[in-house]
Amino acid sequence: MRRVLEIGAGILAAFLLLTLLVRIHPLAGEIFNPFVVAVLLIGLLRGEAAGAVAGAVAGLVADTFSLGLFGIAGIALTTTGFLAGFISRKINVLAVTRLLVFFVLLAAAELALWAGLTVLVFGRPGPWSGGLLLVQPAVNAVVAASVEKLIRKVKIRHER
Amino acid sequence: MARFLKKRQNALLLAGLLFAQLVLLSLQVPIGDAPSLFERTAFAILAPVQRAVQAVFRGLGDLWSGYVDLRHVAERNQTLQEEVYRLRQENALLREAFGRFAEREASAAFLGSLGRSFVLASVVGLDVANPYKSIVIDRGSAAGIEPNMPVLDSLGHVVGRVVPPLGRGEATVQLITDDGSAVSVLTEGSRVLGILSGDGKSGRCWMKYVAATNDAVQESEILVTSGFDKIFPPELRVGRILSVGTDTSLFKRIGVAPFFDFPELRVVAVLTGRRAGGED
């Protein structure tokens, strides 16, 4: 039950943050995607099953307010959430540099998967906003790594 | 068997989720624009949440700007007492404000002159993935709004049209800057006919299907709706031609800046067309 609440809270926080950012500037959502950050963190901290479920929910929420088709963002985020949990169990990614590289690669894979599915379904590439989307994996990774370090710090302090 | 399933439960969960989403995706493809029951349900649940979030942020913003304005008023009062030139400045500001007021009066008169009823609505949500594609407004089927109704800004410029999904208290508006939109337009001076479509990413539009041999279209010309699409009434102002170019195709490449101001889009008018007169 606690895990379900954590996933729900994470997705809700990402949704609220994205709504606020897009209200501030329409292109903010192209540079930074809080849904990707939430899914990466849930996958890393709670395992591949939680990551996959969080990805599916986040994708459906993201697609609800888009005129596109349901499922495209969902498939990309589900796969990313699962991989975040699965890979982090196999290799140690806790060091800062490793964590950053890990998140950059996964965020880039999510973007590539989304772009590939868009081409496959619509027969043409999605909106790239003058290449702004290419910055997104790096920004998402930096934010996700910072939040992960913050969570770990708070956890350690709490345990003491 | 149970042991195998337990061992592979995560992989099976992933496969199940991906399969479910692929089914969802494939269910939507053949029906095109019509929203599925799932899509309508999700919209009905999440639209009020987004509306509430916008209301909270707007309320906080108003509170803050109210506080800042109050401080500015106090400062200005003090300055006005001390320096005469401040009075001149304020006079200039008042003239500008009066000009804006007159413009709004004209827009209200314009909307009334269309001879169609309209419903005013506030913008409560944006398409977070593709900002220039659609918006969500706070009036829906309960206010008589139906798909394909034209949406204008406060100055009577074309913003877009209502599209599904449509809730009782919310509606989605496809913007003319969406690459999937199409509006039949005419150039105001030379009366050249074309189809206006958005580029979906920068807030600009293209006027399509004007023959490359047509030299009547000029830069800075104003585009108005033709009415041929049976959605938008004729002679509504849409945008201004930014560039006229040619490429290797049979048609001209005409760039258009829409008149409606995306960042300032807070209140819109939906033309319901149910009765002649003003807002209901």
Side-chain angles (χ1 to χ4, degrees), chain B residues 192 208-217 244-254:
Chain B
V192 174
K208 296 178 176 173
Y209 309 119
V210 175
T213 51
N214 190 330
D215 293 328
V217 181
V244 180
T246 49
D247 53 24
T248 52
S249 72
L250 293 169
F251 303 108
K252 281 195 181 297
R253 194 170 169 77
I254 303 171

Side-chain angles (χ1 to χ4, degrees), chain A residues 12 15-16 18-20 22-23 25-27 29-30 35 48-50 52-53 55-57 59-76 78-79 82 89 114 117 121 124 127-130, chain B residues 10-11 13-14 17-18 21-22 24-25 28-29 32 36 38-39 42-43 46-47 49-50 53-54 57-58 123-134 136 163-165 172 174 178-179 200-201 262-263 265-266:
Chain A
L12 186 66
F15 174 65
L16 298 182
L18 191 56
T19 304
L20 175 64
V22 172
R23 193 76 221 178
H25 195 285
L27 291 178
E30 310 287 318
F35 284 125
E48 58 259 46
V53 172
V57 177
L60 291 177
V61 173
D63 284 336
T64 303
F65 290 99
S66 177
L67 284 183
L69 294 176
F70 265 96
I72 292 183
I75 290 172
T78 304
T79 313
F82 182 85
R89 274 200 302 122
W114 172 82
L117 283 168
V121 174
R124 58 185 163 83
W128 285 91
S129 306
Chain B
N10 286 345
L13 175 71
L14 175 70
L17 285 171
L18 290 179
Q21 286 176 102
L22 279 173
L24 195 63
L25 203 59
Q28 296 166 83
V29 173
S36 61
F38 179 80
E39 196 176 354
F43 181 80
L46 287 169
V49 176
Q50 198 181 35
V53 171
Q54 293 286 350
F57 286 136
R58 196 168 287 174
V123 178
V124 293
L126 304 165
D127 180 338
V128 289
N130 307 296
Y132 293 111
K133 286 175 101 62
S134 66
V136 180
V163 291
T172 310
Q174 181 188 41
D178 177 18
D179 52 359
K201 53 194 176 186
F262 185 81
L265 208 56
R266 284 172 177 268

